[in-house]
Amino acid sequence: MAVFRVNKNSNYTNMSNYHFRDKRLSWKAKGILSNMLSLPDNWDYSLAGLATLSSDGMSATRSAIKELEEYGYLIRRPIRKDGKISDWEYLIFEN
């Protein structure tokens, strides 16, 4: 069997295997969480911003985010301005 190695000196993400082993999560949710964990802290963590990372679209992104919220990997908090929601704060957890 052939073994292919990748140079991991740059453009590399190190993360916990915890969510990969969580059988409650769909492959879609595992993938989006992995992608979110690889992004910089100042990235646009919005449904629209996350949907740009895949061909799945807004509906699939929204359902994966709801799944991650359901199992405690993600908390979304509204940011209010003048009594209206102006943005969302995303708290992302590896386990």
Side-chain angles (χ1 to χ4, degrees), residues 32 36 39 43-63 65 76 87-88 90:
I32 199 165
M36 291 171 80
L39 296 169
W43 200 82
D44 176 19
Y45 288 96
S46 65
L47 288 175
L50 292 168
T52 65
L53 300 175
S54 172
S55 63
D56 288 349
M58 283 288 285
S59 179
T61 302
R62 185 178 291 108
S63 69
I65 292 298
R76 291 187 322 143
D87 207 349
W88 290 88
Y90 281 61

Side-chain angles (χ1 to χ4, degrees), residues 13-52:
T13 301
N14 189 14
M15 67 182 74
S16 170
N17 285 325
Y18 186 85
H19 67 285
F20 290 119
R21 307 290 187 257
D22 190 339
K23 292 182 180 183
R24 300 172 303 169
L25 294 179
S26 67
W27 286 113
K28 176 175 53 178
K30 290 175 185 186
I32 199 165
L33 179 58
S34 299
N35 211 324
M36 291 171 80
L37 291 170
S38 76
L39 296 169
D41 291 341
N42 62 350
W43 200 82
D44 176 19
Y45 288 96
S46 65
L47 288 175
L50 292 168
T52 65

Side-chain angles (χ1 to χ4, degrees), residues 18-19 22 24-26 29 33 36-37 63-77 90-95:
Y18 186 85
H19 67 285
D22 190 339
R24 300 172 303 169
L25 294 179
S26 67
L33 179 58
M36 291 171 80
L37 291 170
S63 69
I65 292 298
K66 286 182 179 181
E67 188 177 339
L68 294 172
E69 286 180 300
E70 179 180 347
Y71 294 115
Y73 288 93
L74 175 69
I75 296 174
R76 291 187 322 143
R77 293 183 182 161
Y90 281 61
L91 302 172
I92 304 161
F93 303 95
E94 288 188 74
N95 54 32

